[in-house]
Amino acid sequence: TVPASMIDDLEATKAEAEENEAVVDYKVNEDGSITYTYKKSEYDKIVAEMRSGFDTLVAEQLASGDYTTLSSITGDDDLQNVTLTVTNQQDYENTFDGFIIFGLYFYAGYYQIYSGDAPTEDDIQTTFHFVDGTNGVEFDTIVYPDALETE
């Protein structure tokens, strides 16, 4: 089920669903969300591609050189927990490298919706764990979207 807030043009979205051979059926719900029914093999393929896309996004961002203190970023299977390992806490805290989590949160939330781990938009949640690479200690945890409400 795709939340109504993620649908820009309902008529265009319905037309795409009707043309998509992988979609067996779709239903526009009262709240404006759309529930799709896919062929099982196609659904599995879509979810696997989305998960792979997260890993590709992370690899590209780390290779870009834009985030100088980030050593690695890993997500669990449902992308509800993402661990960012930094070169060291002090260097990290003197950069804006933490802004990467906005894009990661968006991608993780989108994945959670399609994988079924977040049945509604209100169920999307990703916890970001920040680990100091020099000693392996987790020094910060940020939970989204909760953190957005306090920022």
Side-chain angles (χ1 to χ4, degrees), residues 57-107:
L57 171 70
V58 165
E60 289 171 352
Q61 292 300 308
L62 291 175
S64 74
D66 292 339
Y67 303 97
T68 58
T69 64
L70 297 178
S71 302
S72 69
I73 301 172
T74 57
D76 61 3
D77 289 344
D78 55 13
L79 295 180
Q80 291 181 350
N81 289 281
V82 176
T83 300
L84 296 90
T85 302
V86 302
T87 52
N88 69 68
Q89 181 180 352
Q90 184 176 1
D91 287 348
Y92 167 78
E93 289 175 346
N94 290 319
T95 69
F96 293 103
D97 288 358
F99 283 115
I100 195 171
I101 66 174
F102 292 112
L104 297 176
Y105 170 66
F106 176 78
Y107 201 99

